[in-house]
Structure formats: structure tokens, C-alpha cells
Amino acid sequence: MIFGQDHLLGIEPLHPDEIRSLLDLADRYAEQNRSGQRPDPVLAGLTQINMFFENSTRTQASFELAGKRLGADVMNMGVATSSVKKGETLIDTALTLNAMRPDLLVVRHGSSGAVNLLASKVNCAVLNAGDGRHEHPTQALLDALTIRRAKGRLHRLTVAICGDIAHSRVARSNIHLLGKMENRVRLIGPPTLLPPGAVDWGVEVFDDMAEGLAGADVVMMLRLQKERMDGGFIPSEREYFHRFGLDAEKLAKARDDAIVMHPGPMNRGVEIDGTIADDINRSVIQEQVEMGVAVRMAAMDLLARNLKARNTPRRVMV
Ligand code: ASP
């Protein structure tokens, strides 16, 4: 098993072999979860704190379930009830938490880079559950596992990532991961929602769905991240759906066996037609959620192994 990381902060620092190891382990957890078999409690005696400074439904629930399945003591720190609302700085919050001696800290934050900063101040393993528009590594890993299971491989595939790329940490983590595994990545969206410089990322860029989807094996739709928009990025949601929303006509341009993905939460009728999202012959959206639990079990298992192997005395690093 190759996985040399102390934290899971992003996909960018990972070696392709580390990604493969994590996915192999997650695959085994996925099968165990399906069979109803109880996994070994490899996190027993460890404390996991989930700290979500931004709202989350599926990611937080998924991390909580993953930790509990593996026997960890799991605590959710609600931001609404935390001292952050009283003006405490991120670093002070981190040091307070560190003093409670957690082993695994799962953090989501609205600012890009906040989770990396926090990881440098604590001495437990930190997992990034999404930071601003930077990275969302467990999302890309669960997407990769879903693709690998559906397509039988995770290389030499044409993957179209469509919609609001500019505000999406999901897109960034997926671009890193799919590129490392030697896939062809296409970004499709209106120029206002494509980050400047995207052409330098080793991807192809399109502003027309029919062109970008032609021959794609995987169609990954993204949510319009209205909470990160401060101006008029699209003329109207109706117009956006007309040009970039995934419907049967646009999907027909992709390969006949192309799968449809969405990280959730979905805006039905804005970026995706509800009928396509619910079509069990094309959509793997529910499977993505299922793989999320398995991937998070694998990530926490591997980080806990490294934590135990290091077995360093705990220090607060300021
Ligand atoms: N749930 C994903 C995220 O937290 C995608 C989204 O919110 O659109 O980034």
C-alpha cells in the first residue's frame, strides 16, 4: 500500500500510485458496505472532529458515517454554535481544537488555502472537505472511483466537465486527478464561468456543449455556485439551461455509453434536466454518494495508519 501523506489537503500533491492505493482500498470498503459486513474498527480509540465553516449536507454526513463505521469517536462542531461567530480567528480555533487532542480533523472552509493553513498549526491528520474554490479532494476521489467502477478503467477516457468551472473546487480537484491518470479533460462553459488561464492546465476548452460533448465517455455537470458569484455571470437561468444545461439532445452528442455525474446539490432545470439526473441507465449520481462513504473510510484509514506509524509526541506548532 503506497500512501505517504500526513494530511489529505488536495489532489495536487498526490502521486498517481497513492491515488490508486486509496481507490483500491475504497473499492474494498464499498463492497463491504454493500454486503452489510462490518469492517474492522481500524479507527477505534481515535477521535475525529468535523468542522464545517460552510454548509454541507452530504459531505459532512458522509465523513461522519465513514468515521463511525470504522469505530472512531466522531464529533461535529457546528459553526453556528462555535466561537467563530464570536470573532475567534481560524488559528485560535485550530489551537483550541488541537488541545482537545483529535486524531483526525475534517475541515470545510469558504476561503481557499484556509485548510492548508490550519494543517500547519495542528499535529493531527487534516482532511480538506472543500476550501473555497481551491480543492475538494475526497469529491474527486469518489468521482474517480465511480468512473473506474462504471468504465472498468481510469485512464484514456474523455471526460467533459461542464458549467461553472470558475467557482468550482470540484472541477479543480478533478482536473488534477484525471490529468495525473492520463485522461483527456475538456472544460465546457460560458467564457464568464471559465477561469482565465484554463487553457494552460493541459485541458481543452469549449463554449459550446455540442462540440465539447462529442464522443465524451463521462459527462460531469457542475452546480451554478451562486453563493460565490458577485455579479452577472449568466444572462438568466433559463438562457443558461438552454445553452449549457444537460438535456437529452445535448447528451446524445456524447458516446452512447457515456455516464452522467453531478457532485450535488443539483439545481434541476438549471444545469441538468431532472429526467436525465434520474435516468438509472445514464446517471451515476447516487453511486457517487455511495462511493463517497467508501472513499472517506479509505482516506481516514490510510491517514490513521501513517499517524500511528509516526507515533510522535503531540506538540502544538505555532
Ligand atoms: N458539494 C460540492 C462542494 O462542496 C459541490 C457544490 O457545492 O456544488 O463543492
Side-chain angles (χ1 to χ4, degrees):
M1 188 74 63
I2 301 160
F3 193 81
Q5 307 287 323
D6 293 335
H7 305 289
L8 181 62
L9 299 176
I11 298 295
E12 197 175 11
L14 299 183
H15 187 275
D17 286 339
E18 293 181 307
I19 296 173
R20 277 185 211 105
S21 290
L22 198 151
L23 295 182
D24 290 346
L25 182 60
D27 221 355
R28 292 206 289 280
Y29 277 132
E31 289 312 315
Q32 275 187 351
N33 290 345
R34 270 198 186 174
S35 71
Q37 204 189 325
R38 204 81 210 160
D40 290 340
V42 292
L43 301 184
L46 301 186
T47 302
Q48 170 191 339
I49 300 185
N50 296 336
M51 220 174 142
F52 281 66
F53 294 93
E54 254 191 1
N55 288 341
S56 164
T57 317
R58 76 203 69 221
T59 307
Q60 183 168 344
S62 182
F63 267 110
E64 183 174 354
L65 195 57
K68 286 183 172 162
R69 254 184 212 167
L70 294 179
D73 295 321
V74 186
M75 190 191 109
N76 288 310
M77 258 201 48
V79 163
T81 54
S82 80
S83 334
V84 176
K85 284 270 184 276
K86 299 180 190 161
E88 188 174 68
T89 68
L90 180 64
I91 303 304
D92 281 336
T93 309
L95 296 181
T96 305
L97 284 177
N98 204 53
M100 293 179 196
R101 303 164 73 88
D103 302 284
L104 298 155
L105 198 54
V106 180
V107 188
R108 168 169 288 189
H109 199 281
S111 305
S112 307
V115 183
N116 290 53
L117 176 67
L118 199 139
S120 70
K121 303 290 179 194
V122 298
N123 59 349
C124 56
V126 176
L127 293 100
N128 181 1
D131 64 322
R133 40 180 97 172
H134 176 224
E135 282 234 36
H136 191 352
T138 54
Q139 177 72 47
L141 289 161
L142 74 88
D143 290 341
L145 184 58
T146 308
I147 296 172
R148 198 172 82 167
R149 287 169 67 103
K151 294 276 148 210
R153 67 182 202 275
L154 188 58
H155 59 276
R156 290 206 303 277
L157 292 167
T158 300
V159 182
I161 306 180
C162 319
D164 184 0
I165 318 275
H167 300 101
S168 177
R169 53 197 176 207
V170 175
R172 254 173 210 75
S173 289
N174 265 300
I175 292 165
H176 284 305
L177 193 152
L178 293 165
K180 282 176 198 276
M181 307 313 266
E182 292 173 18
N183 295 284
R184 190 165 168 190
V185 179
R186 298 180 184 164
L187 305 182
I188 317 173
T192 46
L193 293 177
L194 286 164
V199 272
D200 303 327
W201 296 352
V203 296
E204 294 167 90
V205 178
F206 297 85
D207 64 2
D208 180 89
M209 287 287 272
E211 274 175 39
L213 289 181
D217 298 288
V218 177
V219 181
M220 194 181 279
M221 301 308 298
L222 298 173
R223 183 174 65 89
L224 261 190
Q225 307 226 336
K226 294 178 220 158
E227 76 278 20
R228 297 195 207 288
M229 297 183 186
D230 45 17
F233 284 85
I234 55 163
S236 72
E237 289 186 354
R238 219 168 132 227
E239 169 74 10
Y240 182 80
F241 182 71
H242 176 66
R243 288 202 53 207
F244 296 99
L246 188 68
D247 57 14
E249 198 187 323
K250 296 191 192 86
L251 182 58
K253 305 285 178 201
R255 282 176 59 105
D256 290 344
D257 61 354
I259 54 168
V260 174
M261 309 180 78
H262 193 300
M266 272 185 280
N267 292 311
R268 287 172 185 259
V270 179
E271 68 257 356
I272 189 164
D273 184 298
T275 325
I276 299 223
D278 298 333
D279 179 353
I280 52 165
N281 295 315
R282 306 305 292 269
S283 162
V284 292
I285 295 172
Q286 294 308 319
E287 175 139 9
Q288 287 175 270
V289 179
E290 184 187 355
M291 292 309 122
V293 177
V295 152
R296 289 167 181 127
M297 288 167 81
M300 291 195 287
D301 179 352
L302 291 174
L303 289 172
R305 291 185 206 188
N306 291 350
L307 205 61
K308 283 178 196 154
R310 274 191 294 129
N311 200 18
T312 46
R314 289 168 178 280
R315 280 177 293 122
V316 176
M317 291 171 276
V318 275

